[in-house]
Amino acid sequence: MESIAPSFATPTPGPRGGSPQAPAPAERIEYTTTRSIEVRREVLRRQRLIAGYPPGPYVDAYKVLRTKVLQILRERGWNALAVTSPNPQAGKTVAAINLALSLALDVSQTVLLVDANLRHPSVHTAFGFTPQYGLSDYLLDDVPIERLLINPKGIGRFVVLPGHRPLPDASELLASPKMARLVDELKHRYPSRIVVFDLPHLTTADALAFAPHVDAALLVLEAGRTTHAELEEALAHLNTTPLLGTLLNKAEPGPGS
Ligand SMILES: Nc1ncnc2c1ncn2[C@@H]1O[C@H](COP(=O)(O)OP(=O)(O)OP(=O)(O)O)[C@@H](O)[C@H]1O
Ligand SMILES: [Mg+2]
C-alpha cells in the first residue's frame, strides 16, 4: 500500500446564482468519430456538475483537487485512476465527473471518463442523455469502443465512455483479460490523456475486481457518514492499488473556511 496522499474536501454546492462557468478555452479537439451531445446547463447544475456552476468555492475545491491530483500523476507517471468509496451513495459519480471536468479544463490534458459502475451506470444520467451503447456492450457483444464515445458539446478535451444496460453481476467481466486490455488501450492510445473510472463502492466484488487495473484510486468519504471502521476496511480492500488520496464530500463549510 502506498502512503496516503493529502486529503481534499469539496463543499456542498451553494445556492443558485451567477452565470455558468465558461467552457474550456482556445484549443479544441475535433472528435471525428465521437458523437457529440447537447448538455443543458440546468441539468449540469441540478446534478452538481461544475460545468453548470459560476466560479466560486465549489468549482475552486475541484481546481485544488485537480492541481494536487495532476502533481501526483505527473510525479508517478500515472494516467489511469479510479474513483471509489467505502460506502454507497458517497458522491463518487459526482466527484468522478467533476474531477474529470476540472482536469479537462487544464489546457495540457485530454480526459476520458469511463462509467465502470456496471451495476448502476449513472454518468449518462448526470449529463442527461441516454446512450445507445455502453461499456457493457463492448464487454458482452464487442461493440467497437469508437461507437460508445460521447463528447458533451461545449466541453473541450472531454470524452465519456458511458455505461448502458445494468449488469447485476459483472465482477468476472471487470476482472477479465478483455477489460485489462481495454484499460491498457485507453491509457496509451493518446498522449496527455488521463482516464478516470467511476466505480461502485469498495465492498462490492465489482470494485475489488476492477481496482487492480488502474494506477491509483481516489477514495470519496461522505462527511458525517463514512466511519473510521469503513475507511479502514476500504483501505484493506484496496490492497495493492495505490491510494491517490481521499476526498471529503458533502462537507458543510465551517466558519471562516
Ligand atoms: N457535494 C455534494 N453535496 C450534496 N449532495 C451531493 C454531493 N455530491 C453528491 N451528492 C448527492 O449524493 C447522491 C449520491 O451521489 P452519487 O450518485 O455521485 O453517489 P455514488 O457514490 O456514485 O453512488 P453509488 O454508490 O450509487 O454509485 C446524489 O443525490 C448526489 O446528487
Ligand atoms: Mg455512482
Side-chain angles (χ1 to χ4, degrees):
M1 171 75 58
E2 297 272 330
S3 63
I4 297 182
S7 53
F8 319 102
T10 60
T12 297
R16 286 167 180 274
S19 57
Q21 196 187 6
E27 181 205 341
R28 294 249 178 256
I29 305 262
E30 293 300 326
Y31 297 104
T32 45
T33 53
T34 301
R35 201 158 66 89
S36 272
I37 49 122
E38 295 284 350
V39 284
R40 299 199 354 255
R41 291 281 174 194
E42 60 271 27
V43 173
L44 298 174
R45 179 80 183 215
R46 199 181 321 126
Q47 299 290 336
R48 300 186 166 87
L49 304 189
I50 56 167
Y53 278 80
Y58 189 57
V59 176
D60 286 349
Y62 277 101
K63 284 188 183 163
V64 173
L65 175 64
R66 168 185 73 189
T67 304
K68 293 186 173 178
V69 166
L70 272 177
Q71 195 180 345
I72 298 168
L73 296 186
R74 284 172 184 156
E75 272 169 22
R76 307 287 176 99
W78 290 340
N79 74 336
L81 59 102
V83 177
T84 183
S85 66
N87 43 300
Q89 290 285 296
K92 296 176 291 298
T93 299
V94 170
I97 297 172
N98 281 337
L99 173 60
L101 286 169
S102 64
L103 286 166
L105 287 169
D106 183 287
V107 285
S108 54
Q109 302 297 153
T110 67
V111 179
L112 173 66
L113 173 65
V114 181
D115 192 339
N117 187 338
L118 293 180
R119 282 163 193 260
H120 300 293
S122 62
V123 171
H124 60 278
T125 317
F127 281 101
F129 69 90
T130 306
Q132 195 180 357
Y133 300 111
L135 181 57
S136 49
D137 301 291
Y138 166 80
L139 292 170
L140 291 172
D141 300 328
D142 284 316
V143 174
I145 288 298
E146 289 71 23
R147 295 183 68 183
L148 314 182
L149 300 178
I150 305 271
N151 167 238
K153 263 186 200 156
I155 306 177
R157 296 182 289 274
F158 179 74
V159 174
V160 176
L161 197 169
H164 183 210
R165 51 189 151 149
L167 299 178
D169 187 12
S171 55
E172 283 180 16
L173 278 175
L174 287 166
S176 66
K178 186 172 183 179
M179 190 71 224
R181 281 196 302 277
L182 174 65
V183 175
D184 197 57
E185 151 77 8
L186 297 176
K187 270 169 63 77
H188 294 110
R189 183 181 286 199
Y190 299 109
S192 307
R193 178 195 256 182
I194 294 174
V195 192
V196 177
F197 294 89
D198 178 30
L199 290 194
H201 62 283
L202 263 174
T203 48
T204 61
D206 289 14
L208 300 182
F210 186 82
H213 296 315
V214 294
D215 294 323
L218 179 73
L219 268 191
V220 178
L221 312 180
E222 188 176 356
R225 182 149 167 254
T226 308
T227 64
H228 277 284
E230 286 170 336
L231 173 58
E232 292 294 332
E233 193 187 347
L235 292 173
H237 280 313
L238 270 182
N239 195 10
T240 55
T241 305
L243 179 68
L244 186 74
T246 56
L247 183 155
L248 184 63
N249 194 34
K250 308 190 190 181
E252 290 298 336
S257 65

PDB file of all heavy atoms in Angstrom, residues 10-13 46-48 58 62 85 87-95 117 120 122 198-201 220 222 249-251, ligand 1:
ATOM      1  N   THR A  10     -14.571  18.756  -0.719  1.00  0.00           N
ATOM      2  CA  THR A  10     -15.436  19.545  -1.586  1.00  0.00           C
ATOM      3  C   THR A  10     -16.677  19.903  -0.799  1.00  0.00           C
ATOM      4  O   THR A  10     -17.277  19.050  -0.163  1.00  0.00           O
ATOM      5  CB  THR A  10     -15.876  18.785  -2.848  1.00  0.00           C
ATOM      6  OG1 THR A  10     -16.588  17.630  -2.456  1.00  0.00           O
ATOM      7  CG2 THR A  10     -14.699  18.423  -3.710  1.00  0.00           C
ATOM      8  N   PRO A  11     -17.072  21.168  -0.822  1.00  0.00           N
ATOM      9  CA  PRO A  11     -18.245  21.569  -0.056  1.00  0.00           C
ATOM     10  C   PRO A  11     -19.512  21.146  -0.764  1.00  0.00           C
ATOM     11  O   PRO A  11     -19.515  20.836  -1.943  1.00  0.00           O
ATOM     12  CB  PRO A  11     -18.136  23.088  -0.024  1.00  0.00           C
ATOM     13  CG  PRO A  11     -17.369  23.449  -1.256  1.00  0.00           C
ATOM     14  CD  PRO A  11     -16.463  22.284  -1.549  1.00  0.00           C
ATOM     15  N   THR A  12     -20.584  21.163  -0.014  1.00  0.00           N
ATOM     16  CA  THR A  12     -21.897  21.040  -0.642  1.00  0.00           C
ATOM     17  C   THR A  12     -22.097  22.300  -1.473  1.00  0.00           C
ATOM     18  O   THR A  12     -21.824  23.398  -0.998  1.00  0.00           O
ATOM     19  CB  THR A  12     -22.981  20.929   0.435  1.00  0.00           C
ATOM     20  OG1 THR A  12     -22.732  19.727   1.159  1.00  0.00           O
ATOM     21  CG2 THR A  12     -24.372  20.887  -0.152  1.00  0.00           C
ATOM     22  N   PRO A  13     -22.533  22.152  -2.748  1.00  0.00           N
ATOM     23  CA  PRO A  13     -22.652  23.335  -3.586  1.00  0.00           C
ATOM     24  C   PRO A  13     -23.574  24.380  -2.976  1.00  0.00           C
ATOM     25  O   PRO A  13     -24.568  24.033  -2.350  1.00  0.00           O
ATOM     26  CB  PRO A  13     -23.240  22.796  -4.891  1.00  0.00           C
ATOM     27  CG  PRO A  13     -23.267  21.326  -4.783  1.00  0.00           C
ATOM     28  CD  PRO A  13     -22.936  20.931  -3.385  1.00  0.00           C
ATOM     29  N   ARG A  46     -28.248  20.907 -11.714  1.00  0.00           N
ATOM     30  CA  ARG A  46     -29.061  20.063 -10.830  1.00  0.00           C
ATOM     31  C   ARG A  46     -28.259  18.858 -10.354  1.00  0.00           C
ATOM     32  O   ARG A  46     -28.399  18.390  -9.239  1.00  0.00           O
ATOM     33  CB  ARG A  46     -30.324  19.609 -11.574  1.00  0.00           C
ATOM     34  CG  ARG A  46     -31.424  19.129 -10.670  1.00  0.00           C
ATOM     35  CD  ARG A  46     -32.656  18.657 -11.436  1.00  0.00           C
ATOM     36  NE  ARG A  46     -32.991  19.449 -12.599  1.00  0.00           N
ATOM     37  CZ  ARG A  46     -33.162  18.942 -13.827  1.00  0.00           C
ATOM     38  NH1 ARG A  46     -33.038  17.656 -14.047  1.00  0.00           N
ATOM     39  NH2 ARG A  46     -33.480  19.723 -14.839  1.00  0.00           N
ATOM     40  N   GLN A  47     -27.391  18.349 -11.239  1.00  0.00           N
ATOM     41  CA  GLN A  47     -26.602  17.166 -10.904  1.00  0.00           C
ATOM     42  C   GLN A  47     -25.301  17.519 -10.184  1.00  0.00           C
ATOM     43  O   GLN A  47     -24.436  16.683 -10.008  1.00  0.00           O
ATOM     44  CB  GLN A  47     -26.283  16.382 -12.189  1.00  0.00           C
ATOM     45  CG  GLN A  47     -27.508  15.879 -12.926  1.00  0.00           C
ATOM     46  CD  GLN A  47     -28.216  14.762 -12.174  1.00  0.00           C
ATOM     47  OE1 GLN A  47     -27.617  14.069 -11.378  1.00  0.00           O
ATOM     48  NE2 GLN A  47     -29.506  14.597 -12.425  1.00  0.00           N
ATOM     49  N   ARG A  48     -25.125  18.803  -9.850  1.00  0.00           N
ATOM     50  CA  ARG A  48     -23.953  19.284  -9.095  1.00  0.00           C
ATOM     51  C   ARG A  48     -22.668  19.147  -9.885  1.00  0.00           C
ATOM     52  O   ARG A  48     -21.596  18.924  -9.321  1.00  0.00           O
ATOM     53  CB  ARG A  48     -23.813  18.557  -7.760  1.00  0.00           C
ATOM     54  CG  ARG A  48     -25.001  18.716  -6.849  1.00  0.00           C
ATOM     55  CD  ARG A  48     -24.746  18.113  -5.495  1.00  0.00           C
ATOM     56  NE  ARG A  48     -25.745  18.555  -4.535  1.00  0.00           N
ATOM     57  CZ  ARG A  48     -26.923  17.937  -4.361  1.00  0.00           C
ATOM     58  NH1 ARG A  48     -27.229  16.874  -5.061  1.00  0.00           N
ATOM     59  NH2 ARG A  48     -27.776  18.399  -3.486  1.00  0.00           N
ATOM     60  N   TYR A  58     -17.258  26.048  -4.755  1.00  0.00           N
ATOM     61  CA  TYR A  58     -17.491  24.662  -5.210  1.00  0.00           C
ATOM     62  C   TYR A  58     -16.558  24.308  -6.370  1.00  0.00           C
ATOM     63  O   TYR A  58     -15.882  23.282  -6.361  1.00  0.00           O
ATOM     64  CB  TYR A  58     -18.953  24.522  -5.624  1.00  0.00           C
ATOM     65  CG  TYR A  58     -19.372  23.099  -5.915  1.00  0.00           C
ATOM     66  CD1 TYR A  58     -19.225  22.101  -4.952  1.00  0.00           C
ATOM     67  CD2 TYR A  58     -19.935  22.749  -7.146  1.00  0.00           C
ATOM     68  CE1 TYR A  58     -19.628  20.795  -5.209  1.00  0.00           C
ATOM     69  CE2 TYR A  58     -20.345  21.447  -7.408  1.00  0.00           C
ATOM     70  CZ  TYR A  58     -20.184  20.474  -6.433  1.00  0.00           C
ATOM     71  OH  TYR A  58     -20.585  19.184  -6.698  1.00  0.00           O
ATOM     72  N   TYR A  62     -12.663  21.853  -6.621  1.00  0.00           N
ATOM     73  CA  TYR A  62     -12.244  20.873  -7.635  1.00  0.00           C
ATOM     74  C   TYR A  62     -10.975  21.297  -8.358  1.00  0.00           C
ATOM     75  O   TYR A  62     -10.202  20.466  -8.818  1.00  0.00           O
ATOM     76  CB  TYR A  62     -13.384  20.577  -8.611  1.00  0.00           C
ATOM     77  CG  TYR A  62     -14.325  19.547  -8.028  1.00  0.00           C
ATOM     78  CD1 TYR A  62     -15.527  19.920  -7.457  1.00  0.00           C
ATOM     79  CD2 TYR A  62     -13.970  18.203  -7.997  1.00  0.00           C
ATOM     80  CE1 TYR A  62     -16.365  18.984  -6.879  1.00  0.00           C
ATOM     81  CE2 TYR A  62     -14.791  17.259  -7.425  1.00  0.00           C
ATOM     82  CZ  TYR A  62     -15.988  17.648  -6.867  1.00  0.00           C
ATOM     83  OH  TYR A  62     -16.803  16.709  -6.288  1.00  0.00           O
ATOM     84  N   SER A  85     -15.366   4.463  -3.117  1.00  0.00           N
ATOM     85  CA  SER A  85     -15.661   4.929  -1.762  1.00  0.00           C
ATOM     86  C   SER A  85     -15.883   3.725  -0.854  1.00  0.00           C
ATOM     87  O   SER A  85     -16.145   2.623  -1.333  1.00  0.00           O
ATOM     88  CB  SER A  85     -16.927   5.809  -1.755  1.00  0.00           C
ATOM     89  OG  SER A  85     -18.044   5.033  -2.105  1.00  0.00           O
ATOM     90  N   ASN A  87     -18.464   3.396   1.234  1.00  0.00           N
ATOM     91  CA  ASN A  87     -19.886   3.082   1.314  1.00  0.00           C
ATOM     92  C   ASN A  87     -20.633   3.643   0.103  1.00  0.00           C
ATOM     93  O   ASN A  87     -20.147   4.566  -0.554  1.00  0.00           O
ATOM     94  CB  ASN A  87     -20.510   3.633   2.617  1.00  0.00           C
ATOM     95  CG  ASN A  87     -20.041   5.034   2.924  1.00  0.00           C
ATOM     96  OD1 ASN A  87     -18.853   5.262   3.102  1.00  0.00           O
ATOM     97  ND2 ASN A  87     -20.961   5.977   2.961  1.00  0.00           N
ATOM     98  N   PRO A  88     -21.830   3.086  -0.193  1.00  0.00           N
ATOM     99  CA  PRO A  88     -22.572   3.575  -1.352  1.00  0.00           C
ATOM    100  C   PRO A  88     -23.064   5.007  -1.160  1.00  0.00           C
ATOM    101  O   PRO A  88     -23.121   5.506  -0.037  1.00  0.00           O
ATOM    102  CB  PRO A  88     -23.758   2.591  -1.452  1.00  0.00           C
ATOM    103  CG  PRO A  88     -23.871   1.946  -0.125  1.00  0.00           C
ATOM    104  CD  PRO A  88     -22.503   1.980   0.501  1.00  0.00           C
ATOM    105  N   GLN A  89     -23.374   5.655  -2.287  1.00  0.00           N
ATOM    106  CA  GLN A  89     -24.018   6.980  -2.278  1.00  0.00           C
ATOM    107  C   GLN A  89     -23.173   8.079  -1.633  1.00  0.00           C
ATOM    108  O   GLN A  89     -23.710   9.067  -1.147  1.00  0.00           O
ATOM    109  CB  GLN A  89     -25.389   6.892  -1.578  1.00  0.00           C
ATOM    110  CG  GLN A  89     -26.426   6.119  -2.379  1.00  0.00           C
ATOM    111  CD  GLN A  89     -26.946   6.924  -3.560  1.00  0.00           C
ATOM    112  OE1 GLN A  89     -27.577   7.960  -3.387  1.00  0.00           O
ATOM    113  NE2 GLN A  89     -26.656   6.462  -4.773  1.00  0.00           N
ATOM    114  N   ALA A  90     -21.853   7.885  -1.621  1.00  0.00           N
ATOM    115  CA  ALA A  90     -20.970   8.881  -1.010  1.00  0.00           C
ATOM    116  C   ALA A  90     -20.773  10.093  -1.917  1.00  0.00           C
ATOM    117  O   ALA A  90     -20.309  11.140  -1.473  1.00  0.00           O
ATOM    118  CB  ALA A  90     -19.620   8.252  -0.689  1.00  0.00           C
ATOM    119  N   GLY A  91     -21.111   9.924  -3.196  1.00  0.00           N
ATOM    120  CA  GLY A  91     -20.898  11.004  -4.161  1.00  0.00           C
ATOM    121  C   GLY A  91     -19.780  10.698  -5.139  1.00  0.00           C
ATOM    122  O   GLY A  91     -19.203  11.616  -5.725  1.00  0.00           O
ATOM    123  N   LYS A  92     -19.491   9.419  -5.353  1.00  0.00           N
ATOM    124  CA  LYS A  92     -18.401   9.018  -6.268  1.00  0.00           C
ATOM    125  C   LYS A  92     -18.628   9.518  -7.683  1.00  0.00           C
ATOM    126  O   LYS A  92     -17.711  10.041  -8.313  1.00  0.00           O
ATOM    127  CB  LYS A  92     -18.296   7.478  -6.360  1.00  0.00           C
ATOM    128  CG  LYS A  92     -17.917   6.784  -5.101  1.00  0.00           C
ATOM    129  CD  LYS A  92     -17.930   5.289  -5.288  1.00  0.00           C
ATOM    130  CE  LYS A  92     -19.312   4.689  -5.481  1.00  0.00           C
ATOM    131  NZ  LYS A  92     -20.234   4.859  -4.354  1.00  0.00           N
ATOM    132  N   THR A  93     -19.854   9.317  -8.180  1.00  0.00           N
ATOM    133  CA  THR A  93     -20.108   9.667  -9.581  1.00  0.00           C
ATOM    134  C   THR A  93     -19.980  11.170  -9.784  1.00  0.00           C
ATOM    135  O   THR A  93     -19.319  11.629 -10.719  1.00  0.00           O
ATOM    136  CB  THR A  93     -21.492   9.137 -10.018  1.00  0.00           C
ATOM    137  OG1 THR A  93     -21.473   7.715  -9.883  1.00  0.00           O
ATOM    138  CG2 THR A  93     -21.797   9.502 -11.461  1.00  0.00           C
ATOM    139  N   VAL A  94     -20.570  11.932  -8.879  1.00  0.00           N
ATOM    140  CA  VAL A  94     -20.454  13.398  -8.969  1.00  0.00           C
ATOM    141  C   VAL A  94     -18.979  13.804  -8.888  1.00  0.00           C
ATOM    142  O   VAL A  94     -18.496  14.622  -9.674  1.00  0.00           O
ATOM    143  CB  VAL A  94     -21.281  14.074  -7.844  1.00  0.00           C
ATOM    144  CG1 VAL A  94     -20.978  15.566  -7.768  1.00  0.00           C
ATOM    145  CG2 VAL A  94     -22.766  13.854  -8.066  1.00  0.00           C
ATOM    146  N   ALA A  95     -18.247  13.197  -7.948  1.00  0.00           N
ATOM    147  CA  ALA A  95     -16.833  13.559  -7.777  1.00  0.00           C
ATOM    148  C   ALA A  95     -16.006  13.132  -8.992  1.00  0.00           C
ATOM    149  O   ALA A  95     -15.134  13.883  -9.442  1.00  0.00           O
ATOM    150  CB  ALA A  95     -16.278  12.914  -6.507  1.00  0.00           C
ATOM    151  N   ASN A 117     -19.159   1.541 -13.398  1.00  0.00           N
ATOM    152  CA  ASN A 117     -20.120   1.011 -12.429  1.00  0.00           C
ATOM    153  C   ASN A 117     -21.179   0.257 -13.241  1.00  0.00           C
ATOM    154  O   ASN A 117     -22.209   0.806 -13.619  1.00  0.00           O
ATOM    155  CB  ASN A 117     -20.754   2.148 -11.624  1.00  0.00           C
ATOM    156  CG  ASN A 117     -21.622   1.611 -10.493  1.00  0.00           C
ATOM    157  OD1 ASN A 117     -22.065   0.469 -10.548  1.00  0.00           O
ATOM    158  ND2 ASN A 117     -21.850   2.431  -9.492  1.00  0.00           N
ATOM    159  N   HIS A 120     -24.870  -0.084 -11.612  1.00  0.00           N
ATOM    160  CA  HIS A 120     -25.754   1.095 -11.654  1.00  0.00           C
ATOM    161  C   HIS A 120     -25.069   2.201 -12.446  1.00  0.00           C
ATOM    162  O   HIS A 120     -24.649   3.206 -11.870  1.00  0.00           O
ATOM    163  CB  HIS A 120     -26.036   1.618 -10.238  1.00  0.00           C
ATOM    164  CG  HIS A 120     -26.685   0.631  -9.352  1.00  0.00           C
ATOM    165  ND1 HIS A 120     -27.958   0.163  -9.543  1.00  0.00           N
ATOM    166  CD2 HIS A 120     -26.233  -0.004  -8.248  1.00  0.00           C
ATOM    167  CE1 HIS A 120     -28.264  -0.704  -8.612  1.00  0.00           C
ATOM    168  NE2 HIS A 120     -27.231  -0.836  -7.815  1.00  0.00           N
ATOM    169  N   SER A 122     -24.430   5.493 -14.116  1.00  0.00           N
ATOM    170  CA  SER A 122     -25.208   6.729 -13.923  1.00  0.00           C
ATOM    171  C   SER A 122     -24.514   7.980 -14.449  1.00  0.00           C
ATOM    172  O   SER A 122     -25.059   9.067 -14.297  1.00  0.00           O
ATOM    173  CB  SER A 122     -25.539   6.913 -12.435  1.00  0.00           C
ATOM    174  OG  SER A 122     -24.357   7.052 -11.683  1.00  0.00           O
ATOM    175  N   ASP A 198     -15.269   5.710 -13.008  1.00  0.00           N
ATOM    176  CA  ASP A 198     -16.255   5.782 -11.920  1.00  0.00           C
ATOM    177  C   ASP A 198     -16.607   4.348 -11.526  1.00  0.00           C
ATOM    178  O   ASP A 198     -17.130   3.584 -12.344  1.00  0.00           O
ATOM    179  CB  ASP A 198     -17.506   6.529 -12.408  1.00  0.00           C
ATOM    180  CG  ASP A 198     -18.588   6.606 -11.337  1.00  0.00           C
ATOM    181  OD1 ASP A 198     -18.237   6.623 -10.135  1.00  0.00           O
ATOM    182  OD2 ASP A 198     -19.781   6.636 -11.704  1.00  0.00           O
ATOM    183  N   LEU A 199     -16.304   3.974 -10.282  1.00  0.00           N
ATOM    184  CA  LEU A 199     -16.520   2.599  -9.819  1.00  0.00           C
ATOM    185  C   LEU A 199     -17.671   2.526  -8.811  1.00  0.00           C
ATOM    186  O   LEU A 199     -18.058   3.547  -8.249  1.00  0.00           O
ATOM    187  CB  LEU A 199     -15.267   2.082  -9.100  1.00  0.00           C
ATOM    188  CG  LEU A 199     -14.008   1.788  -9.878  1.00  0.00           C
ATOM    189  CD1 LEU A 199     -13.059   0.977  -9.018  1.00  0.00           C
ATOM    190  CD2 LEU A 199     -14.307   1.051 -11.155  1.00  0.00           C
ATOM    191  N   PRO A 200     -18.146   1.321  -8.524  1.00  0.00           N
ATOM    192  CA  PRO A 200     -19.037   1.155  -7.367  1.00  0.00           C
ATOM    193  C   PRO A 200     -18.225   1.275  -6.077  1.00  0.00           C
ATOM    194  O   PRO A 200     -17.002   1.422  -6.129  1.00  0.00           O
ATOM    195  CB  PRO A 200     -19.572  -0.281  -7.508  1.00  0.00           C
ATOM    196  CG  PRO A 200     -19.116  -0.779  -8.831  1.00  0.00           C
ATOM    197  CD  PRO A 200     -17.948   0.065  -9.254  1.00  0.00           C
ATOM    198  N   HIS A 201     -18.900   1.184  -4.924  1.00  0.00           N
ATOM    199  CA  HIS A 201     -18.165   1.280  -3.654  1.00  0.00           C
ATOM    200  C   HIS A 201     -17.351   0.005  -3.417  1.00  0.00           C
ATOM    201  O   HIS A 201     -17.583  -1.036  -4.031  1.00  0.00           O
ATOM    202  CB  HIS A 201     -19.107   1.594  -2.505  1.00  0.00           C
ATOM    203  CG  HIS A 201     -20.157   0.574  -2.248  1.00  0.00           C
ATOM    204  ND1 HIS A 201     -21.274   0.442  -3.023  1.00  0.00           N
ATOM    205  CD2 HIS A 201     -20.248  -0.387  -1.304  1.00  0.00           C
ATOM    206  CE1 HIS A 201     -22.012  -0.536  -2.561  1.00  0.00           C
ATOM    207  NE2 HIS A 201     -21.409  -1.062  -1.524  1.00  0.00           N
ATOM    208  N   VAL A 220     -13.648   8.514  -2.016  1.00  0.00           N
ATOM    209  CA  VAL A 220     -14.597   9.561  -1.629  1.00  0.00           C
ATOM    210  C   VAL A 220     -15.218   9.174  -0.286  1.00  0.00           C
ATOM    211  O   VAL A 220     -15.807   8.102  -0.149  1.00  0.00           O
ATOM    212  CB  VAL A 220     -15.708   9.721  -2.691  1.00  0.00           C
ATOM    213  CG1 VAL A 220     -16.727  10.770  -2.255  1.00  0.00           C
ATOM    214  CG2 VAL A 220     -15.095  10.104  -4.039  1.00  0.00           C
ATOM    215  N   GLU A 222     -17.860  10.303   2.793  1.00  0.00           N
ATOM    216  CA  GLU A 222     -19.046  11.148   2.942  1.00  0.00           C
ATOM    217  C   GLU A 222     -19.046  11.761   4.334  1.00  0.00           C
ATOM    218  O   GLU A 222     -19.078  11.036   5.341  1.00  0.00           O
ATOM    219  CB  GLU A 222     -20.305  10.314   2.706  1.00  0.00           C
ATOM    220  CG  GLU A 222     -21.559  11.160   2.643  1.00  0.00           C
ATOM    221  CD  GLU A 222     -22.795  10.339   2.315  1.00  0.00           C
ATOM    222  OE1 GLU A 222     -22.675   9.130   2.069  1.00  0.00           O
ATOM    223  OE2 GLU A 222     -23.882  10.938   2.336  1.00  0.00           O
ATOM    224  N   ASN A 249     -16.466  14.505   0.899  1.00  0.00           N
ATOM    225  CA  ASN A 249     -17.573  15.063   0.119  1.00  0.00           C
ATOM    226  C   ASN A 249     -18.731  15.447   1.032  1.00  0.00           C
ATOM    227  O   ASN A 249     -18.884  14.904   2.127  1.00  0.00           O
ATOM    228  CB  ASN A 249     -18.035  14.027  -0.909  1.00  0.00           C
ATOM    229  CG  ASN A 249     -18.925  14.643  -1.976  1.00  0.00           C
ATOM    230  OD1 ASN A 249     -18.737  15.796  -2.364  1.00  0.00           O
ATOM    231  ND2 ASN A 249     -19.902  13.885  -2.451  1.00  0.00           N
ATOM    232  N   LYS A 250     -19.521  16.365   0.544  1.00  0.00           N
ATOM    233  CA  LYS A 250     -20.715  16.860   1.243  1.00  0.00           C
ATOM    234  C   LYS A 250     -20.356  17.536   2.567  1.00  0.00           C
ATOM    235  O   LYS A 250     -21.163  17.527   3.507  1.00  0.00           O
ATOM    236  CB  LYS A 250     -21.726  15.723   1.490  1.00  0.00           C
ATOM    237  CG  LYS A 250     -22.077  14.918   0.234  1.00  0.00           C
ATOM    238  CD  LYS A 250     -23.238  13.980   0.460  1.00  0.00           C
ATOM    239  CE  LYS A 250     -23.406  13.021  -0.696  1.00  0.00           C
ATOM    240  NZ  LYS A 250     -24.517  12.109  -0.550  1.00  0.00           N
ATOM    241  N   ALA A 251     -19.136  18.085   2.631  1.00  0.00           N
ATOM    242  CA  ALA A 251     -18.726  18.764   3.866  1.00  0.00           C
ATOM    243  C   ALA A 251     -19.373  20.144   3.913  1.00  0.00           C
ATOM    244  O   ALA A 251     -19.321  20.877   2.933  1.00  0.00           O
ATOM    245  CB  ALA A 251     -17.207  18.897   3.901  1.00  0.00           C
TER     246      ALA A 251
HETATM  247  N1  LIG B   1     -21.124  17.614  -2.553  1.00  0.00           N
HETATM  248  C1  LIG B   1     -22.390  17.158  -2.501  1.00  0.00           C
HETATM  249  N2  LIG B   1     -23.316  17.807  -1.751  1.00  0.00           N
HETATM  250  C2  LIG B   1     -24.583  17.376  -1.663  1.00  0.00           C
HETATM  251  N3  LIG B   1     -25.060  16.284  -2.299  1.00  0.00           N
HETATM  252  C3  LIG B   1     -24.197  15.600  -3.069  1.00  0.00           C
HETATM  253  C4  LIG B   1     -22.816  15.988  -3.204  1.00  0.00           C
HETATM  254  N4  LIG B   1     -22.204  15.107  -4.026  1.00  0.00           N
HETATM  255  C5  LIG B   1     -23.156  14.196  -4.378  1.00  0.00           C
HETATM  256  N5  LIG B   1     -24.338  14.489  -3.823  1.00  0.00           N
HETATM  257  C6  LIG B   1     -25.611  13.747  -3.977  1.00  0.00           C
HETATM  258  O1  LIG B   1     -25.486  12.485  -3.323  1.00  0.00           O
HETATM  259  C7  LIG B   1     -26.209  11.489  -4.057  1.00  0.00           C
HETATM  260  C8  LIG B   1     -25.258  10.359  -4.427  1.00  0.00           C
HETATM  261  O2  LIG B   1     -24.306  10.877  -5.350  1.00  0.00           O
HETATM  262  P1  LIG B   1     -23.584   9.927  -6.397  1.00  0.00           P
HETATM  263  O3  LIG B   1     -24.549   9.242  -7.288  1.00  0.00           O
HETATM  264  O4  LIG B   1     -22.477  10.705  -7.007  1.00  0.00           O
HETATM  265  O5  LIG B   1     -23.007   8.852  -5.354  1.00  0.00           O
HETATM  266  P2  LIG B   1     -22.277   7.487  -5.660  1.00  0.00           P
HETATM  267  O6  LIG B   1     -21.303   7.290  -4.561  1.00  0.00           O
HETATM  268  O7  LIG B   1     -21.768   7.486  -7.046  1.00  0.00           O
HETATM  269  O8  LIG B   1     -23.490   6.464  -5.511  1.00  0.00           O
HETATM  270  P3  LIG B   1     -23.457   4.908  -5.924  1.00  0.00           P
HETATM  271  O9  LIG B   1     -22.804   4.202  -4.766  1.00  0.00           O
HETATM  272  O10 LIG B   1     -24.929   4.573  -6.067  1.00  0.00           O
HETATM  273  O11 LIG B   1     -22.693   4.784  -7.197  1.00  0.00           O
HETATM  274  C9  LIG B   1     -26.787  12.182  -5.276  1.00  0.00           C
HETATM  275  O12 LIG B   1     -28.107  12.542  -4.993  1.00  0.00           O
HETATM  276  C10 LIG B   1     -25.913  13.408  -5.420  1.00  0.00           C
HETATM  277  O13 LIG B   1     -26.569  14.475  -6.088  1.00  0.00           O
END
